[in-house]
Amino acid sequence: MISKFIYTKILGWKLVGEFPKDLKKYVVIGAPHTSWKDFPIAILGRNTWGVKINFIGKKALFKPPFGFIFRWLGGSPVDRTKSSNKVDAIVDVFNKNEEFRLALSPEGTRQKVDKWKTGFYYIAKGAGVPIIMFTLDFGRKQMAVSEPFYPTDDMEADFKVFHDFYKDVKGAKPELF
């Protein structure tokens, strides 16, 4: 496969762990998201793993001339200016599909943030699906995947688990994570 060749031989990255192939639905959170480089590295990693994972992105990315590429790669546009309940809309997508895996950045941006967004957490809880964590570790040139994590009723403790998973990970721009 060409993705694996580019990812491992040309770029020198490696994969640690496996996305669960027996689970048909889950939320994937990828961090740190600090650079435009994260997207192509994540897509190459996803293709190397051979698992179908969708993503959402800001609406502007899906306009011509390149919008068709993002759709072809499994993306769907989100209008962030509307006040509609995106969590409920995405939970409906999970409920209507037999197979759906959604990747999100918990930071919600490539800029430095003081705290993560919580939408991914409420999507997973609302859809009754686990959260899979994966790293974009430019320090070790690897993507690592966690075991499925089912959110509990203790959000603070759950977020500690998430933050602990990413504690020694270096983004493309470490100062932003």
Side-chain angles (χ1 to χ4, degrees):
M1 169 189 283
I2 192 152
S3 292
K4 184 175 184 177
F5 178 78
I6 293 169
Y7 188 78
T8 60
K9 302 298 183 198
I10 294 176
L11 299 177
W13 279 65
K14 63 184 173 188
L15 304 173
V16 177
E18 287 285 332
F19 279 100
K21 298 209 184 334
D22 58 324
L23 285 177
K24 296 193 180 288
K25 297 181 182 184
Y26 47 85
V27 172
V28 178
I29 58 170
H33 184 31
T34 62
S35 166
W36 65 269
K37 298 174 194 173
D38 301 338
F39 181 75
I41 293 292
I43 292 295
L44 285 168
R46 176 196 71 178
N47 292 348
T48 300
W49 261 300
V51 63
K52 181 182 178 186
I53 300 174
N54 298 86
F55 62 92
I56 55 174
K58 60 184 173 183
K59 191 172 150 184
L61 293 174
F62 293 87
K63 293 183 178 179
F66 301 110
F68 77 94
I69 295 172
F70 290 105
R71 281 186 178 81
W72 177 72
L73 290 171
S76 296
V78 172
D79 186 353
R80 298 191 293 191
T81 61
K82 291 186 178 176
S83 62
S84 62
N85 189 331
K86 292 171 193 63
V87 169
D88 288 343
I90 295 171
V91 167
D92 283 344
V93 173
F94 271 98
N95 292 334
K96 290 178 182 173
N97 287 283
E98 190 174 315
E99 183 175 314
F100 190 69
R101 299 172 190 102
L102 178 65
L104 300 165
S105 165
E107 298 136 302
T109 180
R110 291 182 307 236
Q111 305 305 312
K112 187 169 180 69
V113 295
D114 291 328
K115 64 181 193 171
W116 286 0
K117 304 249 182 213
T118 57
F120 76 90
Y121 185 79
Y122 289 111
I123 291 166
K125 284 189 68 81
V129 300
I131 296 168
I132 307 285
M133 297 162 269
F134 86 92
T135 63
L136 290 160
D137 192 339
F138 282 77
R140 295 181 189 101
K141 289 185 89 169
Q142 72 180 23
M143 285 175 57
V145 177
S146 75
E147 292 293 320
F149 178 84
Y150 288 86
T152 69
D153 290 327
D154 187 345
M155 187 175 183
E156 189 175 320
D158 291 350
F159 268 71
K160 180 171 178 3
V161 170
F162 304 144
H163 291 297
D164 285 349
F165 183 78
Y166 295 100
K167 71 178 176 192
D168 295 322
V169 176
K170 300 268 188 279
K173 296 180 179 178
E175 69 277 8
L176 298 179
F177 185 61

